[in-house]
Amino acid sequence: MVSVGVGYMYWQVSNGCPCDESAVSELELRKAYENADEYDENVEWSEWLSMDSLRAKLLEEERERLSKGKVLEVAAGTGRNFKHYPDKCRLTITDTSKEMLEKSKNRIKDSKIMVEEFALVDAHGLSNHFESNKFDVVVDTFGLCSFHNPQKALREMSRVTKKNGVILLLEHGRSSPHLNGSISRFFGGSWLSSILDLYAERHARRWGCWWNRDIMNLVRESGLKVDSVKTFQMGTVYLIRCRPSCSPP
């Protein structure tokens, strides 16, 4: 049975990648976030298993800057990062889903974060709502998979970040284990990316994200300056620290 299963999967992968992003509209992607409570419950297991610790790691390394500066979280979802911010962090929270934003307002009650604004703002149009060079830190976790135009969203993050500020990204995408020195580099790679490709459309319809995007290529195309990259889970999860481009378009 195992041999048959592996053989069938190999046959499907070798027959090409049914992962044309135009097959799922932006509206369909956003529908996945309309029921914030159900979405939150469905990701609970994966959060407990590993994602929550990676959220903590992303923010812990910039704790001093988070404590002293103005912080923007883009596509904050239901607020799963909130508990990892230092006390009295001055945070501005955005999302395109009013349901997610309402859920995050409930979660913030249990923290000591100083929220300056909850804003229903699309990541593609941050500069329509915020002035340029406004924030010391911009945070985005698992947003690049769901943005209709991730390069544009990254350029918008760059625009609203101070020239000496940082952009912190925690994302998932194609397997690039060679970017990290962990033992996972021996297990991930193109074979794993092929499997992500195979189920990409189904995953996008269910969860509102394309889990097979080339994360580092998106970051490079946006013009951001990458300071450091670490990968986890066989190279499919990326922890990236970067800085805004010198002259955001």
Side-chain angles (χ1 to χ4, degrees), residues 231-242:
T231 62
F232 304 87
Q233 297 189 9
M234 295 189 289
T236 61
V237 177
Y238 300 71
L239 195 156
I240 308 169
R241 183 190 191 274
C242 45

Side-chain angles (χ1 to χ4, degrees), residues 145-156:
C145 61
S146 60
F147 298 146
H148 179 64
N149 186 335
Q151 296 97 326
K152 182 177 181 180
L154 286 169
R155 288 194 291 269
E156 286 290 282

Side-chain angles (χ1 to χ4, degrees), residues 36-49 51-56 59 73-85 91 93 95 100 103-108 111 113 139 141-142 170 207:
D37 287 330
E38 181 180 335
Y39 191 95
D40 220 26
E41 291 173 2
N42 287 336
V43 300
E44 192 67 44
W45 172 248
S46 63
E47 287 287 333
W48 178 83
L49 194 63
M51 296 306 181
D52 189 62
S53 62
L54 291 176
R55 293 178 190 273
L59 299 178
E73 181 166 344
V74 179
T78 61
R80 287 190 168 271
N81 291 327
F82 293 170
K83 64 182 178 180
H84 301 301
Y85 285 105
L91 185 64
I93 299 163
D95 203 277
M100 291 284 183
K103 179 78 174 182
S104 70
K105 287 180 181 179
N106 291 331
R107 182 165 270 143
I108 206 75
S111 72
I113 300 171
V139 177
T141 57
F142 305 113
L170 177 60
W207 296 102

Side-chain angles (χ1 to χ4, degrees), residues 69-76 82 85 89-95 101 113-119 121 126 129-130 134-135 137-139:
K70 296 176 72 69
V71 184
L72 170 68
E73 181 166 344
V74 179
F82 293 170
Y85 285 105
C89 172
R90 292 180 293 163
L91 185 64
T92 296
I93 299 163
T94 70
D95 203 277
L101 211 55
I113 300 171
M114 299 171 62
V115 178
E116 298 195 336
E117 183 181 6
F118 282 96
V121 176
L126 293 174
H129 191 86
F130 304 109
K134 180 179 177 67
F135 298 99
V137 185
V138 173
V139 177

Side-chain angles (χ1 to χ4, degrees), residues 8-23:
Y8 176 69
M9 180 171 288
Y10 176 79
W11 174 79
Q12 284 192 307
V13 169
S14 62
N15 272 277
C17 165
C19 53
D20 180 4
E21 290 195 11
S22 65

Side-chain angles (χ1 to χ4, degrees), residues 21-30 148 205:
E21 290 195 11
S22 65
V24 184
S25 69
E26 184 178 3
L27 182 61
E28 288 179 287
L29 290 179
R30 291 190 179 189
H148 179 64
R205 293 184 186 279

